[in-house]
Amino acid sequence: MKSLAQQMSFYQRYHRSPKNRLTHFFGVPMIILAVMQAFSWVPLGPSGLNATHVIVLVLLMYYFLLDVPLALAMTAFFAVLLALTQHLAKLPWPWALTVFGVLFVGGWIVQLIGHHYEGRKPALLDNLFQIFIAPMFLMAEVFFHFGYKPGLKREVQELSMQSV
């Protein structure tokens, strides 16, 4: 398994433009919420659990293997999205589909606008697994902004520059 710094350095190579990074802070959560909403429509028995719960649990387990403080922050982030998903699940079907469409399509449009500024295709076109790294990368960017995890930031930047 590649380290978090290795995975983030790959992702960073596709996200150097500040405008592109900014669009991802909107687009990625929109897409995640849409996907969580869709998987919430797949119940797992009478317990009230659905496929979204399992996917989030597995993803968080992976994040905890990569970095505990970032995974804790991602747990809070996903808790908020799960609460929103529960609300969306109560909408009448036509409204729920409309919200899903707006979030999913709108999120990808925002992402593609960002990559227009970047002048480079999205990272997931070269490595589909990057779709799971994007949320963690954005959380790390928040940490970096506030001065947390300077060692990780330095390592990501060094690894990113090695491949240029």
Side-chain angles (χ1 to χ4, degrees):
M1 180 171 88
K2 290 184 178 181
S3 72
L4 177 60
Q6 290 169 320
Q7 294 182 57
M8 286 181 58
S9 70
F10 180 88
Y11 190 85
Q12 184 175 15
R13 290 178 213 130
Y14 293 77
H15 302 89
R16 296 194 186 277
S17 163
K19 289 180 182 177
N20 187 23
R21 283 182 162 166
L22 179 62
T23 62
H24 282 58
F25 275 97
F26 295 95
V28 169
M30 289 171 68
I31 295 166
I32 292 171
L33 184 57
V35 170
M36 288 174 67
Q37 178 188 2
F39 279 108
S40 76
W41 297 329
V42 181
L44 301 175
S47 66
L49 292 176
N50 58 55
T52 295
H53 296 111
V54 173
I55 292 166
V56 167
L57 179 63
V58 170
L59 190 56
L60 285 173
M61 288 171 31
Y62 175 65
Y63 288 166
F64 273 98
L65 289 174
L66 292 173
D67 186 279
V68 173
L70 285 171
L72 288 170
M74 291 304 299
T75 301
F77 173 73
F78 278 120
V80 170
L81 292 185
L82 280 170
L84 287 171
T85 301
Q86 293 299 101
H87 176 70
L88 294 174
K90 296 175 185 174
L91 292 175
W93 190 244
W95 282 102
L97 284 176
T98 300
V99 169
F100 169 80
V102 167
L103 287 170
F104 192 77
V105 174
W108 281 110
I109 289 170
V110 170
Q111 295 283 91
L112 293 174
I113 289 169
H115 280 283
H116 170 75
Y117 290 122
E118 184 76 36
R120 189 160 189 193
K121 64 185 175 183
L124 67 94
L125 294 179
D126 286 335
N127 180 347
L128 189 58
F129 194 73
Q130 291 298 304
I131 203 162
F132 302 114
I133 296 302
M136 188 83 142
F137 181 86
L138 294 173
M139 187 60 71
E141 286 288 311
V142 172
F143 273 51
F144 298 161
H145 177 77
F146 289 104
Y148 297 112
K149 303 233 144 284
L152 177 62
K153 181 179 182 178
R154 195 170 32 259
E155 186 179 0
V156 169
Q157 289 172 337
E158 289 170 3
L159 288 170
S160 179
M161 295 308 292
Q162 287 175 6
S163 65
V164 174

